[in-house]
Amino acid sequence: MKALLYLPILLLFASCADFSDATKEISARIQLQLPDELASTGALAGHTVTMTVGGQRLQAETDAQGIATFSDLVPDIYDISCSWELSASEYQQLTGKELTGGTSCTVSGSQNTCLLQTDGQTVTLSTLLSINQDILISKIYYAGSAYEGTTRAYTAGQYMELYNQSATPTDVSGLYIGFTETDNPQAYTLDNLHEAYADSVLVVKQIFQIPADSPVMIQPGGTLLITNSAVDHSDVSQFEHSLLDADFEAKDSRARIQNNPATPTLPVIYCSYSNMTYINFQNTGLMGVVIFRTNDDNINDWPLVYPYGKTAGQLFKLLPKRYVIDGVECLSNKTTTGPEPSSKRLYSDIDAGYVYINASNGKSGEVVYRRTVRVTEDGRKILADTNNSSADFQVSTTIKPREYDE
């Protein structure tokens, strides 16, 4: 009986309740802004803008004014991106200049962690034009796994791959591979680099070089596989593979990692850590990886720096940004906050986005790799290269070394 007496009171409160604060769906307009090279000649219409939130991808095409309209959005923080490819002939037609340094180019723009909360909000998305390089960092297996049936980390099977996008064999002898500092807190934030070096350098903990004494050819659509341990790891867990066919091995001078004497050595040129000659992959992420070329024979003379504002501690090498060919930003996926863009080590003109694995502590067997955007008539896969790893890369636990999706 008491329940019936309370019912009118509950109904009274319900009739007086104000639900105006409930989350309402909104619309947003993304205004595309062409790079300076195409501002007077490029078309604004027909480009796909992608917005990502919570793993969900939303897409809309731009109209003649370069506006992509999204409706029925939940107010939230979104990652926004747009990219398209121009052939060498299209580039020349639009700019009147011949494309040099690559076979095509990409127009791309992105904004990470953009708050959309007002109905009809307009966001301007600036874009850059970049030449698609022949050689890309195409895959990084940094997560490692765990010994089957245990939680004990296994990292000896970590590896990375380079991929040849071009239609001709490419010589990568003499190419350098750099790994940014991974201090926590950061040795140098991007703001620190802006203040101290006007965005001109990267702070790296390790540099390796593919031997330059003879040609090292990657065939069209082929890969170069680099690891710390070129042995068969497949008996450790379902996520590990045989790396016996690796092209180069960063050998451990202290013999803590099993090496293969038949695999050529990937020499270490600089390392912040004493006596470490193998690649210091971070199995949770939180590292930038770059490839670069330089005619400077005196890399050992490049400046060394302590962490920002300090006069003691770990020493890092300053790498001039102008030498970088390609870069991939890997971030940690924290359990409570997810990846934190503020911890990026690479400038947006090297990698406007970032890639991350689902696991927060690695040991998951997850590989980050570039998605395939098309396959040429001769069967060569063309991988995504928009200088935005958020759009270019995906994650898998089943993809194998030297393998890419269709």
Side-chain angles (χ1 to χ4, degrees), residues 317-338:
K317 182 75 72 174
L318 293 184
L319 163 62
K321 186 180 72 170
R322 65 182 181 275
Y323 296 139
V324 173
I325 296 171
D326 187 36
V328 178
E329 183 84 62
C330 305
L331 296 186
S332 297
N333 188 13
K334 297 187 176 181
T335 303
T336 54
T337 60

Side-chain angles (χ1 to χ4, degrees), residues 212-351:
D213 52 357
S214 62
V216 178
M217 308 302 295
I218 306 181
Q219 297 302 311
T223 60
L224 188 87
L225 176 59
I226 295 169
T227 183
N228 287 326
S229 181
V231 302
D232 188 350
H233 304 275
S234 59
D235 62 342
V236 174
S237 82
Q238 61 178 317
F239 303 116
E240 299 295 333
H241 302 281
S242 174
L243 301 179
L244 285 168
D245 68 338
D247 297 286
F248 290 98
E249 182 183 65
K251 299 183 187 293
D252 182 8
S253 62
R254 294 178 289 184
R256 297 181 181 181
I257 299 174
Q258 183 181 357
N259 291 140
N260 185 342
T263 304
T265 299
L266 181 73
V268 59
I269 304 301
Y270 175 76
C271 185
S272 293
Y273 312 111
S274 177
N275 298 319
M276 181 183 288
T277 56
Y278 59 89
I279 299 173
N280 185 222
F281 289 110
Q282 300 292 299
N283 71 335
T284 60
L286 198 62
M287 61 179 181
V289 185
V290 297
I291 55 175
F292 65 97
R293 283 194 181 276
T294 174
N295 293 323
D296 191 342
D297 295 327
N298 298 312
I299 285 183
N300 288 329
D301 293 336
W302 289 358
L304 295 173
V305 294
Y306 294 112
Y308 182 76
K310 295 185 179 181
T311 57
Q314 202 73 39
L315 279 169
F316 302 102
K317 182 75 72 174
L318 293 184
L319 163 62
K321 186 180 72 170
R322 65 182 181 275
Y323 296 139
V324 173
I325 296 171
D326 187 36
V328 178
E329 183 84 62
C330 305
L331 296 186
S332 297
N333 188 13
K334 297 187 176 181
T335 303
T336 54
T337 60
E340 297 179 349
S342 60
S343 64
K344 276 175 61 68
R345 267 70 170 174
L346 299 182
Y347 302 102
S348 60
D349 55 350
I350 297 176
D351 188 350

Side-chain angles (χ1 to χ4, degrees), residues 64 76 119 145 150 182 208 220 243 275 285 317 349-350 361 383 386 389 399-400:
D76 208 331
D119 189 37
S145 63
T150 77
T182 52
F208 295 83
L243 301 179
N275 298 319
K317 182 75 72 174
D349 55 350
I350 297 176
N361 62 349
L383 307 183
T386 67
S389 290
I399 201 121
K400 298 176 182 179

Side-chain angles (χ1 to χ4, degrees), residues 23-30 51 53 56 58-59 69-76 78 116-121:
T23 300
K24 296 181 179 178
E25 293 180 338
I26 61 172
S27 64
R29 293 153 46 97
I30 311 302
M51 299 208 306
V53 60
Q56 182 183 13
L58 309 173
Q59 293 185 321
T69 302
F70 292 82
S71 303
D72 303 325
L73 299 176
V74 175
D76 208 331
Y78 292 79
L116 298 179
Q117 60 181 349
T118 306
D119 189 37
Q121 183 174 342

Side-chain angles (χ1 to χ4, degrees), residues 134-135 162-166 168-170 218-223 380:
D134 293 342
I135 301 299
L162 305 182
Y163 184 83
N164 182 6
Q165 290 269 74
S166 75
T168 58
T170 300
I218 306 181
Q219 297 302 311
T223 60
R380 178 168 41 93

